[in-house]
Structures are given as C-alpha cells and as structure tokens.
Amino acid sequence: IMIEKTEPEHVDAPAEFSFPPTFSVSEIKNKQRRHLMFMKLKQEKRKQKVAIKKKKKKERDALGDKAPPKEVPKTIENQRVYDETTVNPEDEEVAFDEGTDEFSAYFNRLTNPKVLITTSDRPRGRTVRFCNQLATVIPDAHVYYRRGLALKKVIPQCIARGFTYLMVINEDRKVPNGMVLCHLPDGPTAHFKVSSVRLRKEMKRRGKDPTEHSPEVILNNFTTRLGHSMGRLFAALFPHDPQFVGRQVATFHNQRDFIFFRFHRYIFKNEKRVGIQELGPRFTLKLRSLQKGTFDSKFGEYEWVLKRHENDVCRRRFNL
C-alpha cells in the first residue's frame, strides 16, 4: 500500500482586526486591554500627525517662495469675542477720562508713589515673608504690622503720612489668598484673589536678591476700559523713571483675565545675546471687584464685580 505524504495546506494569517467606526475604547471592559488599546490608538494618531507634518514641510520646501503662509493655530485668545469696551489708543474720550481720573496726578508727575503693605490680623510666617519680598520689589514700600486695626482707621493715617497706596495681604490656612489694593486718597479699591504664590527660596535657578534700583514696568494685554484701569493701578505703584542700571523689570501679564506677576533681571551675555533671570516672588491675581473711592465694605459703590458662572456660557469672553 502506497501512502502519499501530503503537505498541510498553507493557511493565510488572519488580517488585522479593525473596529467598526462607531466603536469606542471605553466599551472594552478589561482594564488592562482597554489601556493597551488606548495607548496603541494614541501612538497611531501621533504617527499620522508626524507624517502629515513631514509631508507639508516637503511641499513647502519644494514650492519655496511660492509656498502658502503657515496656518495659525486656533486658541482661546485669538478666537476671543470682541468686547465693545476695547480701547482705541486714538480715542479722545478715553484720553479725556484718563486725564481726569484718580491716577492723573501720578501720570502728570505731581505725586511720587509711597506704599504701605500690611496683612490680615495675626499673619503667619509665609504671609509675612511674602510681604517683605513685595517690599523689595516695589520701591519706597513699607511693611507694618496691623495690630487688629480696622481698615477704615488705617486709611486716614496713611493719607496723613503721605502714602499713595495701601496694600493688604489676606491669608487662609497660613497661605496668602487675597489682596486689597487701595489707591489713596481718592481710590479706587481693587480686590484680587491671589494664587500660585512662590517665594524666592522655593524657586529654582533664581538670581541674587534684587537691588534698590527702580525697575522697569511691563503691562501686557490690558485692552478694555477695565483693563486700562487695572494697568494704570499697577503702573502707579512704581516710580516714574526706572533706573536701567539695575537691569530689573516687573511684568504684569494678563491672559484670560488672570494677571501673572514676574520679576526678572536682564543678563547681557554679549553685544547681541540677552537673557533674563527670575528673581521672585511670583504670583497670580484674579480680579474680584473694583470699588469707587477708598475701602468701604458697607456703603461702597462698585464699578465692577465678578459674577460667578458669568463666562460659563462662552469661554472666549474676557473682561480685561
């Protein structure tokens, strides 16, 4: 009997399994398989994105000068809803209002800033250190212990001693969380929420302590009428003429109604290269209210108050 040897038929490997278009990774019940599949999909999307980017770059290099301009990515800032109160630099009405407002004496060089910094009752060590470091940033700033006095009693004493600002740092659970900035003698008074406070010792690669030179002041992205008022409020904290020898600059940067404060020093590496070195402290402010006149919690007239959930309808609408 002849037995023929037959080779087993070659079976093709099954094609890669693909999910239907309506399938979601969250439908996989096994946690490990779900995580693995999610990472694979994420990696594939990343590869596709890199491939498209390389392809576009090759096309741009091939076209040369005839290449179309690069697409500007969409962000919340450049998609911002237009505000009717956006200030035009050539607006005569705005110029007249700024020439007669509470800060006009400072900008006409009739007064020099003098700041009193104090705290809430019985401040803790971190808040005290924050106040002391603010006093090294703002020239002619003096830190005083409050001693349980009400602000209505402190303000007349400040005016009698020639102070132009009263700054009160509030705290909660030993952490600075609020700031009241009152311009003297006629106001206005701004109340801010303070967050993301980092003192000098908590910062990496910080420079040496600042000198007594008056810093430059940079006010960035304050475009509306309310934003202009805030910019003038911050500008009047510092002397008129900065001392460029000190190479120090204080920056108030507004982004999405959050005001970021940074304090830097210029580092000239050579004739063409310039770097910056952060000195600290750094913190973030969020405007809560703007009140006419000096601080008055009972009978004060408010120009603007932050309403909760006001921007929940449209995240692209900002006030500053």
Side-chain angles (χ1 to χ4, degrees):
I1 300 171
M2 298 292 292
I3 301 175
E4 294 182 1
K5 292 182 179 180
T6 58
E7 295 182 359
E9 295 181 0
H10 178 70
V11 181
D12 293 336
E16 290 187 3
F17 182 75
S18 59
F19 292 109
T22 57
F23 179 79
S24 176
V25 179
S26 59
E27 295 179 15
I28 302 175
K29 294 184 179 181
N30 187 293
K31 184 178 180 180
Q32 292 180 345
R33 289 179 62 83
R34 183 172 65 245
H35 177 71
L36 185 63
M37 186 59 64
F38 173 75
M39 296 305 294
K40 283 184 178 180
L41 290 174
K42 196 173 181 180
Q43 192 173 7
E44 286 178 5
K45 286 183 179 179
R46 191 182 294 115
K47 287 181 179 178
Q48 291 175 2
K49 193 174 181 180
V50 171
I52 293 171
K53 196 174 182 179
K54 287 183 178 178
K55 184 180 178 182
K56 286 184 177 180
K57 188 178 180 182
K58 285 183 180 179
E59 291 176 355
R60 290 182 62 83
D61 294 340
L63 292 172
D65 296 336
K66 297 180 181 180
K70 289 185 178 180
E71 296 179 359
V72 179
K74 290 184 178 181
T75 61
I76 294 181
E77 283 83 5
N78 59 27
Q79 298 295 314
R80 175 177 179 172
V81 176
Y82 178 75
D83 196 323
E84 296 178 353
T85 62
T86 302
V87 174
N88 184 359
E90 299 178 357
D91 193 342
E92 296 181 358
E93 182 182 353
V94 175
F96 176 78
D97 290 343
E98 291 181 351
T100 56
D101 66 359
E102 299 90 343
F103 307 106
S104 58
Y106 166 81
F107 287 99
N108 292 330
R109 295 177 176 264
L110 300 177
T111 60
N112 293 317
K114 185 179 179 183
V115 184
L116 185 143
I117 302 175
T118 187
T119 63
S120 55
D121 293 334
R122 290 172 292 185
R124 299 293 181 172
R126 182 175 171 80
T127 305
V128 173
R129 289 194 297 272
F130 180 50
C131 292
N132 291 331
Q133 291 185 15
L134 282 176
T136 61
V137 172
I138 304 172
D140 203 7
H142 307 269
V143 181
Y144 285 97
Y145 184 62
R146 187 164 168 180
R147 297 177 184 174
L149 289 174
L151 286 183
K152 286 186 178 181
K153 295 182 179 179
V154 175
I155 289 173
Q157 296 181 20
C158 293
I159 296 173
R161 287 169 173 77
F163 285 98
T164 60
Y165 269 99
L166 172 63
M167 181 184 294
V168 183
I169 306 297
N170 298 318
E171 68 173 8
D172 182 33
R173 298 177 184 177
K174 305 180 183 180
V175 177
N177 73 329
M179 176 190 293
V180 176
L181 192 57
C182 181
H183 181 257
L184 303 175
D186 301 321
T189 302
H191 177 224
F192 300 94
K193 176 188 175 184
V194 181
S195 60
S196 304
V197 177
R198 294 190 67 181
L199 304 180
R200 292 196 178 108
K201 286 190 176 181
E202 301 167 357
M203 300 174 60
K204 296 180 180 179
R205 299 178 183 176
R206 64 182 177 88
K208 294 181 180 179
D209 291 344
T211 58
E212 295 182 357
H213 296 91
S214 300
E216 300 176 61
V217 182
I218 296 177
L219 303 168
N220 191 18
N221 205 21
F222 294 92
T223 55
T224 64
R225 293 293 295 267
L226 180 64
H228 260 231
S229 298
M230 288 297 99
R232 291 168 69 83
L233 182 73
F234 293 130
L237 282 168
F238 297 87
H240 301 282
D241 300 316
Q243 297 173 335
F244 298 103
V245 178
R247 298 178 285 116
Q248 297 176 159
V249 54
T251 305
F252 295 89
H253 173 73
N254 171 44
Q255 186 171 354
R256 304 183 189 181
D257 287 349
F258 288 92
I259 303 169
F260 300 91
F261 175 81
R262 299 291 184 270
F263 193 56
H264 291 94
R265 177 185 288 133
Y266 292 119
I267 303 295
F268 293 97
K269 298 178 181 179
N270 52 41
E271 294 180 355
K272 295 183 179 180
R273 295 183 60 193
V274 180
I276 55 174
Q277 185 181 50
E278 190 168 1
L279 305 179
R282 65 162 66 169
F283 55 90
T284 305
L285 300 175
K286 176 76 170 178
L287 182 64
R288 289 300 178 89
S289 65
L290 181 64
Q291 181 181 351
K292 288 185 178 181
T294 56
F295 179 81
D296 190 350
S297 57
K298 286 187 177 180
F299 306 106
E301 181 183 353
Y302 287 88
E303 292 185 30
W304 183 86
V305 178
L306 176 65
K307 298 177 182 177
R308 293 188 63 187
H309 311 298
E310 184 180 18
N311 293 335
D312 289 355
V313 179
C314 182
R315 295 178 59 202
R316 296 181 289 113
R317 181 177 285 110
F318 304 111
N319 298 302
L320 300 181

